[in-house]
Amino acid sequence: MRDFRSKWASVSRGEIVVWPALFVGAMVALTSLLVGPNRGDLEVDVALASMSAFLFGALLAFTIVRTRERLALVHGLVAKGNSSLFSIYQMMAVFGDEDRCRIRALIDGHLTDQIDYRLIDYHIASPTFLQLIEAVYAINPGTRQEEVVYKELVSLGIDMGEHRALIEAATGQAMSPVEWSGLFLLLLLLLSLITVLPGGTALGALVAGVLAGTLLTLMILLRRLDLLRWHERVTIWEPTNRLFRDMGQDPYVPREVIDSGRYRPNGRIRVVDYPDPYPVRAT
């Protein structure tokens, strides 16, 4: 039962693409053959299918464009945040050992805290961010060089706060249940009409099955875009792992990310298991 729930969760998050698309395509093709010529008026079916296809295509295209823009904005802001964290890490070299080690440990703790949660739940990692920024602001520079660097650190902290607010605002703009319901109703209507249109021919049923699988694949793509997981390997995991290594730390990767195939790290890493259900990360 637990394995079934895990698989279903993977499907609902868009992590599995091929098998759901093949299953839906096969079901539509088989149903089309079974229905055969037992259908209503062909002209009416074609008109309904045309209207449904137009509405579904227009809504899907608009939604994909919107979610891609949101994804690009979030990825860009996350990259700026990581760059700022690395700048703080390097600037701490001019301060004493106590301040340097404390701030660098807080940077590592904040990064691992962000990874513990999904990108759409970016706000949950705010406490460690605030702890880091407060520690940076609390630094007491003792030399002229430290004063100059401290001003830059304060400026970076202000910029990071702005970037974080923009990320939290963007991640909160996920698709609503009403939008998903409308898309799924149009998809079901379109699949039903595609099923009866071939009239029982083998070639028509095959084309209907391929078309059904393609439509479902587009819906899965939209789901991954909405969850901010599209191209996450090259935009999130690889840059974050490089950041860890640049700071002299082993990358921090959840085991579930590795097991699901979302990312395959190389070299020595820190692997974390989550025994509690998301978003509990107390143990």
Side-chain angles (χ1 to χ4, degrees):
M1 189 65 179
R2 186 175 182 180
D3 291 340
F4 174 77
R5 290 179 180 177
S6 176
K7 292 294 183 183
W8 175 250
S10 297
V11 171
S12 65
R13 291 193 296 264
E15 296 173 3
I16 302 177
V17 180
V18 177
W19 292 113
L22 289 177
F23 176 76
V24 170
M27 290 298 296
V28 168
L30 180 60
T31 305
S32 180
L33 288 174
L34 294 176
V35 171
N38 300 321
R39 62 187 180 193
D41 187 85
L42 180 59
E43 293 183 0
V44 174
D45 290 343
V46 171
L48 289 174
S50 299
M51 293 173 58
S52 301
F54 173 77
L55 290 174
F56 179 78
L59 182 57
L60 183 66
F62 170 77
T63 309
I64 287 178
V65 169
R66 182 170 65 85
T67 52
R68 280 185 64 90
E69 291 176 350
R70 169 175 169 257
L71 180 69
L73 173 64
V74 171
H75 283 172
L77 291 172
V78 169
K80 289 180 179 179
N82 287 345
S83 176
S84 298
L85 287 174
F86 186 58
S87 296
I88 294 175
Y89 180 90
Q90 290 182 306
M91 290 179 182
M92 291 307 301
V94 304
F95 292 93
D97 291 340
E98 182 179 352
D99 287 335
R100 181 171 62 251
C101 294
R102 179 166 51 89
I103 298 299
R104 288 180 173 180
L106 289 173
I107 292 174
D108 181 72
H110 175 55
L111 278 173
T112 57
D113 193 41
Q114 285 187 158
I115 292 173
D116 284 339
Y117 301 100
R118 298 168 187 166
L119 190 53
I120 56 173
D121 296 323
Y122 197 79
H123 63 281
I124 301 180
S126 291
T128 54
F129 171 76
L130 295 176
Q131 185 180 7
L132 168 63
I133 296 303
E134 289 173 359
V136 170
Y137 291 164
I139 294 175
N140 186 20
T143 66
R144 177 60 182 169
Q145 183 184 24
E146 290 181 355
E147 289 180 0
V148 173
V149 174
Y150 177 74
K151 292 179 181 179
E152 294 296 326
L153 289 173
V154 171
S155 178
L156 278 175
I158 295 173
D159 291 340
M160 289 177 66
E162 294 178 356
H163 295 159
R164 189 168 190 88
L166 292 174
I167 293 175
E168 292 180 5
T171 54
Q173 297 173 10
M175 289 179 61
S176 67
V178 174
E179 292 175 299
W180 280 113
S181 299
L183 275 172
F184 271 110
L185 287 174
L186 284 173
L187 176 63
L188 291 175
L189 177 59
L190 190 55
L191 291 180
S192 300
L193 292 169
I194 290 174
T195 301
V196 301
L197 282 179
T201 63
L203 180 59
L206 178 61
V207 173
V210 173
L211 184 57
T214 303
L215 292 175
L216 185 65
T217 300
L218 290 175
M219 289 293 288
I220 294 174
L221 164 63
L222 179 59
R223 180 61 173 166
R224 296 183 68 175
L225 285 170
D226 190 49
L227 293 176
L228 304 175
R229 287 189 173 181
W230 184 249
H231 289 166
E232 65 174 345
R233 180 179 62 83
V234 296
T235 56
I236 298 296
W237 292 112
E238 289 184 357
T240 303
N241 282 8
R242 288 195 295 268
L243 175 60
F244 274 118
R245 296 197 188 280
D246 289 341
M247 296 190 303
Q249 300 287 341
D250 294 327
Y252 180 90
V253 185
R255 186 178 300 277
E256 64 181 27
V257 172
I258 301 174
D259 293 342
S260 64
R262 290 165 53 195
Y263 180 60
R264 299 290 186 182
N266 297 317
R268 179 174 172 176
I269 62 172
R270 290 176 287 175
V271 180
V272 58
D273 287 301
Y274 303 125
D276 299 316
Y278 185 85
V280 179
R281 294 293 184 254
T283 57

